[in-house]
């Protein structure tokens, strides 16, 4: 059985390109628990706070209960829930999961496969990360879920039909950096070392995992810190391409004020004349799916 294919078949709530990484985050959490604690049951009382934090930090900017993935992943044949009353989930409501002392576990067949193939956990984790999150967030997600992707060395390449016809364009980074003249569109940082740009990234506005194209109209040249903050929803863009700063961001030092807070309502740098600015549709996707509204006034 190809377990990566099975994971690719997980049913996810979808509407208009909206992000719903609830089940993937639970699976990443369960895989991290497997690496450190084996395949024993995971009490909901243990997982609740961890899942809540994962959903808050890496889910879309709307409230979601950790009970949602804990219950609904049982519909996909790879996650089982038991209670003090017997097998079967009592539903997604937090009160019922708590009262029934619910616990979840990976399907025995998957646990057996994970035990027999030391690379499988890495292949599954990489697939879940690549198809749900931007690369700038992968290390943070692994840290919070306890995943170690280097634990068993390099795993076999992941090749599933879910994105078999789509590959990241290796020219995307160079095209975007050149379009913005190797200068951060938010702060104008332009560092070089021995003739090579350093600390600059090509950021997708609409994430690649959610059909964001590898072209200049979906890209921004950003320094590493502003790229991370853009993907975390601290920073965003308005339709007229001015910078938004989330009012939920707190920064008390002069560095935070200069690097982040001072960007509020500042115009983002435009690409070179003749090259496409960020498409308004991609800006709107980022505003709805990533940016942590409301925006701060300048």
């Amino acid at each position: 059985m190809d377990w990566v294919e099975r994971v690719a078949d997980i049913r996810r709530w979808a509407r208009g390109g909206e992000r719903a990484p609830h089940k993937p985050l639970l699976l990443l959490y369960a895989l991290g628990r497997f690496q450190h604690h084996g395949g024993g049951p995971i009490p909901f009382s243990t997982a609740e706070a961890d899942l809540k934090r994962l959903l808050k930090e890496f889910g879309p900017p709307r409230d979601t209960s950790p009970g949602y993935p804990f219950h609904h992943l049982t519909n996909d044949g790879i996650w089982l829930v038991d209670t003090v009353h017997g097998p079967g989930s009592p539903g997604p409501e937090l009160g019922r999961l708590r009262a029934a002392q619910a616990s979840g576990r990976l399907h025995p067949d998957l646990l057996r496969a994970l035990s027999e193939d030391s690379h499988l956990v890495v292949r599954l984790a990489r697939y879940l990360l690549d198809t749900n999150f931007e690369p700038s967030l992968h290390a943070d997600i692994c840290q919070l879920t306890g995943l170690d992707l280097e634990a068993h060395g390099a795993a076999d390449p992941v090749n599933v039909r879910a994105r078999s016809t789509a590959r990241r364009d290796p020219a995307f980074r160079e095209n975007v950096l050149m379009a913005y003249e190797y200068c951060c569109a938010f702060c104008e940082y332009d560092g070089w070392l021995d003739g090579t740009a350093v600390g600059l990234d090509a950021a997708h506005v609409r994430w690649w995992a959610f059909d964001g194209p590898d072209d200049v109209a979906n890209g921004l040249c950003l320094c590493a810190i502003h790229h991370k903050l853009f993907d975390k929803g601290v920073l965003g863009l308005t339709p007229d391409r001015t910078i938004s700063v989330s009012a939920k961001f707190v920064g008390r030092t002069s560095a935070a004020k200069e690097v982040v807070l001072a960007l509020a309502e500042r115009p983002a740098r435009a690409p070179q004349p003749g090259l496409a600015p960020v498409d308004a549709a991609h800006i709107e996707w980022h505003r709805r799916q990533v940016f942590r509204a409301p925006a701060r006034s300048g």
Side-chain angles (χ1 to χ4, degrees):
M1 178 181 295
D2 189 330
W3 283 101
V4 179
E5 290 281 0
R6 284 285 301 274
V7 168
D9 284 334
I10 288 175
R11 287 171 285 181
R12 304 178 198 177
W13 182 86
R15 184 180 66 191
E18 294 195 24
R19 293 201 299 131
H22 315 87
K23 291 179 180 180
L25 284 171
L26 173 56
L27 270 178
L28 288 165
Y29 177 75
L31 292 172
R33 295 274 304 186
F34 173 82
Q35 279 191 317
H36 292 278
H37 305 289
I42 305 172
F44 183 70
S45 59
T46 298
E48 181 179 359
D50 295 332
L51 287 175
K52 185 175 181 179
R53 182 178 179 185
L54 285 165
L55 289 166
K56 184 175 182 179
E57 289 203 29
F58 304 107
R62 59 179 183 269
D63 290 335
T64 303
S65 166
Y68 178 90
F70 205 89
H71 165 75
H72 286 291
L73 189 59
T74 59
N75 296 325
D76 297 286
I78 58 177
W79 177 253
L80 304 175
V81 172
D82 301 299
T83 72
V84 291
H85 308 297
S89 172
E93 294 83 4
L94 296 180
R96 289 186 177 184
L97 289 165
R98 293 167 184 161
Q101 300 178 39
S103 63
R105 54 193 171 93
L106 296 172
H107 193 282
D109 291 344
L110 175 53
L111 287 174
R112 188 177 307 109
L114 289 168
S115 299
E116 294 173 352
D117 180 356
S118 61
H119 295 303
L120 179 58
V121 65
V122 177
R123 291 202 302 273
L124 291 174
R126 285 180 176 167
Y127 172 78
L128 290 165
L129 290 167
D130 287 343
T131 54
N132 290 280
F133 307 97
E134 280 293 277
S136 70
L137 304 178
H138 291 184
D140 292 347
I141 294 171
C142 288
Q143 183 177 21
L144 283 185
T145 56
L147 276 165
D148 181 0
L149 299 190
E150 307 301 325
H152 300 286
D156 297 333
V158 175
N159 180 21
V160 293
R161 57 178 165 69
R163 293 214 68 167
S164 60
T165 60
R167 295 289 183 271
R168 292 181 183 267
D169 184 351
F172 174 70
R173 180 178 186 275
E174 183 62 24
N175 290 341
V176 171
L177 266 60
M178 180 180 65
Y180 286 86
E181 300 179 279
Y182 302 89
C183 186
C184 177
F186 287 179
C187 70
E188 299 192 349
Y189 165 83
D190 63 347
W192 292 74
L193 177 67
D194 293 334
T196 301
V198 292
L200 288 172
D201 300 331
H204 285 83
V205 179
R206 183 185 181 110
W207 292 2
W208 183 86
F210 291 85
D211 300 318
D214 283 333
D215 57 43
V216 171
N218 188 42
L220 283 170
C221 176
L222 296 177
C223 67
I225 187 169
H226 288 141
H227 185 186
K228 173 64 75 68
L229 295 178
F230 188 70
D231 287 348
K232 288 280 286 185
V234 173
L235 300 175
L237 284 176
T238 67
D240 62 357
R241 302 179 186 87
T242 60
I243 303 167
S244 299
V245 177
S246 173
K248 298 179 181 178
F249 175 80
V250 176
R252 299 182 178 88
T253 66
S254 59
K257 293 175 183 176
E258 293 170 7
V259 173
V260 182
L261 298 176
L263 296 177
E265 300 184 345
R266 179 189 296 179
R269 182 185 180 92
Q272 294 187 48
L275 296 179
V278 181
D279 187 276
H282 301 323
I283 293 174
E284 175 62 13
W285 183 90
H286 186 276
R287 185 192 67 78
R288 291 187 295 105
Q289 299 302 318
V290 181
F291 182 67
R292 304 287 171 169
R296 182 185 298 269
S297 299

